[in-house]
């Protein structure tokens, strides 16, 4: 059988999320680098894989295709300790995953992309990205004051999804020092995922 193929950009948190899960679970796969800024996700070949024109895209050994970072993580993490067995905790994990896609990623990831990767000046950016992004960080801070992880005392997919862009929030002009519990949680999750720490020492 063919190897699992993961199409993604290595600067994209959405693409790293499923890669971290595959790595953590020891699932062999081939990473295929796709630049999400240069039109590579809009070619006919790529659109045949994902008509939404976005990475990540994952091709299973039998050729079936999965898109959406959180859906791909859920597929592989099924039955692992990254998904709580308790129904309430599992639903809380989903609560964070849905919230991430609507209230965190569209603000924080988008501001990082426009400011850091596309080099836009602050006055060219929608001001609501900063206010809504800070509101998202404050929401996480409130939870992480109470529990070491977003759902109780163990790493779940909620942490993996939310750390992806929170760890790079400074590149979008967010001051993570204002959120000390979030900052410490980022380090905790990066350590457990065995990934590089990217938050600056004071920022
Ligand atoms: N909700 C999607 C978002 C995916 C997404 O926004 N991908 C970006 C890279 S981070 C992309 O492929 N952009 C290229 C484009 O939209 O043309 C997910 O979680 O997978």
């Amino acid at each position: 059988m063919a190897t699992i193929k993961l199409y993604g950009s290595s600067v994209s948190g959405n693409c790293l999320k499923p890669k971290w899960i595959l790595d953590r679970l020891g699932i062999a796969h081939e990473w295929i680098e796709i630049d999400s800024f240069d039109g590579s996700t809009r070619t006919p070949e790529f659109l045949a894989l994902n008509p939404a024109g976005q990475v990540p895209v994952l091709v299973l050994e039998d050729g079936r295709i999965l898109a959406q970072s959180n859906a791909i993580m859920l597929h592989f993490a099924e039955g692992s300790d990254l998904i709580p067995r308790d129904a309430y905790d599992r639903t809380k994990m989903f609560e964070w995953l849905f919230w991430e896609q609507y209230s965190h990623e569209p603000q924080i990831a988008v501001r990082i992309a426009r400011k850091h990767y596309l080099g836009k000046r602050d006055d060219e950016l929608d001001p609501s990205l900063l206010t809504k992004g800070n509101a998202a960080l404050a929401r996480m801070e409130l939870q992480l004051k109470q529990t070491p992880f977003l759902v109780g005392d163990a790493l779940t997919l909620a942490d993996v999804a939310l750390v992806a862009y929170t760890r790079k929030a400074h590149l979008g002009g967010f001051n993570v020092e204002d959120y000390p519990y979030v900052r410490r949680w980022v380090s905790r999750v990066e350590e457990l995922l065995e990934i590089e720490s990217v938050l600056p020492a004071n920022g």
Side-chain angles (χ1 to χ4, degrees):
M1 249 193 196
T3 317
I4 289 169
K5 289 191 177 67
L6 178 55
Y7 293 79
S9 153
S10 44
V11 300
S12 152
N14 283 324
C15 298
L16 292 172
K17 289 180 210 173
K19 173 154 182 40
W20 294 333
I21 298 302
L22 293 170
D23 287 342
R24 184 174 173 86
L25 298 175
I27 300 170
H29 61 280
E30 181 188 347
W31 173 269
I32 298 160
E33 185 71 25
I34 299 283
D35 188 328
S36 60
F37 294 111
D38 73 355
S40 302
T41 55
R42 301 289 154 165
T43 64
E45 296 76 24
F46 189 85
L47 291 171
L49 285 176
N50 183 10
Q54 290 180 328
V55 279
V57 177
L58 185 132
V59 182
L60 294 165
E61 292 105 319
D62 63 7
R64 287 180 300 166
I65 297 171
L66 292 171
Q68 291 294 330
S69 56
N70 291 351
I72 301 171
M73 290 202 299
L74 282 159
H75 179 80
F76 288 101
E78 193 162 299
S80 79
D81 60 359
L82 292 165
I83 300 180
R85 285 186 200 288
D86 175 79
Y88 177 80
D89 285 351
R90 191 164 59 248
T91 307
K92 292 303 280 184
M93 179 198 77
F94 279 114
E95 183 182 311
W96 283 110
L97 292 179
F98 297 135
W99 179 83
E100 184 256 351
Q101 287 285 295
Y102 189 76
S103 302
H104 183 286
E105 194 264 10
Q107 284 78 41
I108 296 183
V110 168
R111 202 168 200 279
I112 294 170
R114 303 218 171 126
K115 182 178 170 70
H116 181 72
Y117 295 112
L118 299 174
K120 302 268 183 214
R121 296 186 317 268
D122 282 3
D123 64 0
E124 296 176 288
L125 301 174
D126 174 353
S128 78
L129 294 176
L130 195 60
T131 46
K132 289 182 179 171
N134 272 309
L137 293 171
R139 167 75 190 93
M140 292 172 67
E141 181 77 355
L142 196 63
Q143 180 61 45
L144 293 165
K145 267 185 190 164
Q146 298 165 48
T147 52
F149 295 96
L150 291 168
V151 182
D153 58 6
L155 183 80
T156 70
L157 294 185
D159 302 292
V160 181
L162 277 148
V163 88
Y165 289 105
T166 306
R167 68 199 272 269
K168 289 188 171 179
H170 57 288
L171 302 179
F174 296 95
N175 186 6
V176 183
E177 288 303 306
D178 292 346
Y179 308 97
Y181 287 86
V182 169
R183 198 184 197 299
R184 284 196 289 276
W185 162 87
V186 166
S187 302
R188 197 175 302 136
V189 176
E190 286 174 333
E191 205 177 309
L192 285 169
L193 293 176
E194 298 180 40
I195 58 175
E196 177 198 5
S197 177
V198 291
L199 276 177
N202 294 302

